[in-house]
Amino acid sequence: MSRIHEALKKIERDRALRKGNRDETADVADLYTAQPATLPAESAPAQNTRETPSFVAASPATTDTLARCTQGNWKPQPTMLFLSEHERIQGNEEFRTLRSRLHQLQEHRPLRKLLVTSPLPEEGKTFVAANLAQAIACQEGRQVLLIDGDLRAGCLHECLGTFRTPGLSDYLLNEIDEFKVMQRGSMKNLVFIPAGSAVSNPTELLGNGHIKTLLNRTESLFDWI
């Protein structure tokens, strides 16, 4: 408390010098109530860790650009917790908790892109990536781009109930632009890029540098990729 007290006194003295019309001995309790945001970071009291995201509506330019994406009638599987008609409260809450943790991390470091991976097949990458994207997209003003980067056995399109092509591999082959491979379904804030056409050299294709170009071009349009 002494550090907070000293910090508040210093702030008040600086204000008095600038304005020339305020008593240096202003009541500290009143200052803390009126101006909590002026506390130095190291002296600020601990904040509630519950999720309190600030929503930012998509700009007209972003809305117009995303309108170029293909609009489809997705038929998601029941494992898509936020798109399914069957309510799964426990599963939904787990992904909301994960979403909150990510927002907390975002307050301390620049974080907009996530990679969901694992060393072995069938460990839940598709399930986690798809439902986390939906959980974030449920929030007003949060634009999410979900990319199926598994060019060997991508199946995100099956979970969402949509088509696989055109998709990421077609973009990496320079056969189509980024907006032609983007799809939108019933969830307005969620945009999806499927794996695309089957290819014989997925590793080389992912390493040709075009994936970086895709991320650079789309990063300004989405809150999370």
Side-chain angles (χ1 to χ4, degrees):
M1 288 300 297
S2 61
R3 294 180 60 193
I4 296 176
H5 180 78
E6 292 299 323
L8 291 170
K9 288 180 62 179
K10 182 178 184 302
I11 292 169
E12 184 59 25
R13 285 196 300 269
D14 292 342
R15 284 180 178 168
L17 289 174
R18 288 196 302 268
K19 296 183 178 181
N21 59 357
R22 183 173 296 183
D23 187 353
E24 292 186 12
T25 60
D27 187 87
V28 171
D30 290 343
L31 176 61
Y32 179 78
T33 302
Q35 301 289 343
T38 60
L39 283 174
E42 66 273 16
S43 300
Q47 299 296 314
N48 192 329
T49 57
R50 295 183 63 185
E51 179 186 356
T52 54
S54 56
F55 301 128
V56 179
S59 67
T62 299
T63 302
D64 293 342
T65 301
L66 295 179
R68 297 167 56 187
C69 305
T70 302
Q71 183 71 44
N73 182 24
W74 296 357
K75 297 179 180 179
Q77 296 179 354
T79 54
M80 300 294 96
L81 304 180
F82 295 85
L83 293 173
S84 173
E85 296 178 355
H86 305 286
E87 188 173 1
R88 298 168 182 264
I89 297 177
Q90 182 176 357
N92 289 1
E93 286 306 310
E94 293 295 333
F95 281 103
R96 289 190 181 103
T97 299
L98 179 57
R99 178 186 69 191
S100 298
R101 299 287 178 83
L102 290 172
H103 286 320
Q104 291 169 12
L105 288 174
Q106 206 174 36
E107 293 176 358
H108 302 286
R109 67 186 71 175
L111 179 63
R112 300 182 71 175
K113 297 186 287 289
L114 298 174
L115 174 66
V116 180
T117 186
S118 71
L120 299 174
E122 300 183 4
E123 290 192 327
K125 297 183 294 293
T126 299
F127 176 76
V128 171
N131 283 293
L132 177 58
Q134 294 164 46
I136 298 174
C138 282
Q139 298 177 300
E140 186 67 29
R142 298 284 186 180
Q143 296 287 342
V144 182
L145 174 61
L146 174 64
I147 304 175
D148 191 343
D150 188 348
L151 301 188
R152 286 192 176 90
C155 60
L156 267 171
H157 64 287
E158 296 177 358
C159 296
L160 295 174
T162 183
F163 46 87
R164 174 171 174 148
T165 59
L168 180 61
S169 63
D170 305 287
Y171 174 84
L172 297 179
L173 288 168
N174 279 327
E175 295 180 352
I176 195 169
D177 70 36
E178 58 267 25
F179 294 104
K180 296 296 184 182
V181 300
M182 293 182 182
Q183 304 179 24
R184 307 187 79 176
S186 58
M187 188 173 285
K188 65 177 182 178
N189 292 340
L190 178 63
V191 176
F192 173 55
I193 296 180
S197 305
V199 291
S200 59
N201 59 337
T203 303
E204 290 78 6
L205 200 56
L206 287 170
N208 66 9
H210 293 321
I211 185 70
K212 183 177 181 180
T213 301
L214 173 65
L215 295 176
N216 289 339
R217 288 180 176 177
T218 57
E219 186 173 15
S220 63
L221 301 176
F222 297 95
D223 298 284
W224 291 92
I225 299 177

